[in-house]
């Protein structure tokens, strides 16, 4: 058995991590830009990359020689990022509660973009998991099986949740558009 210097193993690990980073850094950054305030995006991404470094051996789709299969790696990394974001939000909520108690002032709520206000309102009617399923599908372009891996749902449950959430959003947007266009809904017609 030939012993190699320890730095050779660390170089191989660094090369594997660099290959992983090259594939996942930009998609994870986009994921966070859509879900976190601009001030915390880089911090959460750094925390995610630290977790990925620590758990490098656990990353599915990452070969020992540094080959990366994006279809296997990305859903797992989105799951890690989602967890890091949840931790950051919990930390921020605790900090805000403390500041609020100290100053007796509530933190301001972020406003939805004006041109997408109806869509944000429709998304707001969904539960947290359903909203995340829709956003993973719409913004990240994930399939229901990849969404299942990110959220911890089964592929079937993710598919059903996605279908129902899309129908709920469409119905809500259609109702608003029907009222704005001056059309009667079936409910209005039956009252007369």
């Amino acid at each position: 058995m030939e012993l190699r210097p320890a730095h050779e193993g660390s170089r191989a690990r660094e090369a594997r991590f660099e290959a992983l980073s090259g594939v996942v850094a930009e998609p994870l950054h986009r994921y966070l830009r859509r879900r976190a305030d601009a001030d915390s995006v880089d911090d959460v991404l750094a925390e995610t990359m630290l977790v990925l470094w620590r758990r490098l051996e656990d990353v599915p789709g990452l070969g020992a020689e540094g080959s990366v299969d994006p279809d296997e790696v990305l859903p797992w990394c989105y799951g890690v990022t989602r967890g890091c974001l949840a931790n950051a939000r919990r930390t921020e909520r605790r900090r805000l509660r403390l500041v609020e108690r100290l100053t007796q002032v509530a933190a301001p709520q972020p406003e939805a973009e004006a041109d997408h206000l109806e869509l944000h309102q429709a998304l707001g009617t969904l539960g947290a998991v359903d909203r995340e399923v829709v956003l993973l599908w719409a913004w990240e372009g994930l399939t229901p099986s990849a969404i299942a891996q990110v959220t911890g749902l089964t592929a079937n449950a993710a598919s059903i949740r996605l279908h129902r959430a899309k129908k709920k959003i469409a119905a809500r947007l259609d109702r608003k558009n029907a009222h704005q266009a001056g059309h009667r809904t079936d409910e209005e017609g039956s009252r007369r």
Side-chain angles (χ1 to χ4, degrees):
M1 180 169 147
E2 181 180 329
L3 294 176
R4 288 182 286 176
H7 65 276
E8 280 187 40
S10 65
R11 283 189 201 143
R13 183 175 173 81
E14 288 172 13
R16 289 179 70 215
F17 182 73
E18 287 175 15
L20 176 65
S21 298
V23 171
V24 302
E26 185 56 33
L28 296 181
H29 192 259
R30 281 193 313 265
Y31 175 91
L32 289 168
R33 280 195 326 249
R34 294 175 179 141
R35 287 168 176 78
D37 62 273
D39 294 334
S40 63
V41 168
D42 291 335
D43 292 338
V44 176
L45 182 60
E47 181 65 27
T48 300
M49 298 310 280
L50 180 61
V51 171
L52 294 178
W53 170 257
R54 289 180 184 154
R55 298 196 54 203
L56 194 61
E57 304 309 318
D58 299 332
V59 178
L62 180 61
E65 68 286 347
S67 63
V68 180
D69 180 357
D71 292 335
E72 285 189 50
V73 166
L74 275 171
W76 194 84
C77 292
Y78 282 133
V80 170
T81 306
R82 185 172 183 247
C84 290
L85 182 57
N87 289 340
R89 286 178 174 158
R90 276 191 298 276
T91 300
E92 181 64 12
R93 282 194 301 270
R94 284 192 298 266
R95 188 188 71 75
L96 286 175
R97 281 195 305 267
L98 177 60
V99 168
E100 187 175 331
R101 278 187 290 180
L102 293 174
T103 62
Q104 299 300 316
V105 176
Q109 297 296 319
E111 295 181 25
E113 297 174 28
D115 58 336
H116 299 294
L117 184 60
E118 289 178 5
L119 178 58
H120 286 283
Q121 288 172 341
L123 283 169
T125 64
L126 300 175
V129 174
D130 289 342
R131 187 172 42 254
E132 181 68 1
V133 165
V134 169
L135 294 178
L136 285 167
W137 171 77
W139 286 348
E140 309 310 331
L142 296 182
T143 64
S145 61
I147 291 169
Q149 191 175 358
V150 173
T151 60
L153 298 169
T154 65
N156 190 41
S159 182
I160 290 169
R161 281 180 177 264
L162 177 62
H163 176 74
R164 289 180 181 163
K166 286 174 19 182
K167 281 179 61 175
K168 187 174 182 179
I169 290 171
R172 176 141 174 120
L173 293 176
D174 284 345
R175 268 188 258 132
K176 284 189 173 243
N177 290 336
H179 286 293
Q180 290 173 351
H183 295 115
R184 281 190 337 204
T185 63
D186 290 339
E187 292 173 1
E188 293 172 23
S190 65
R191 288 187 202 140
R192 293 186 184 191

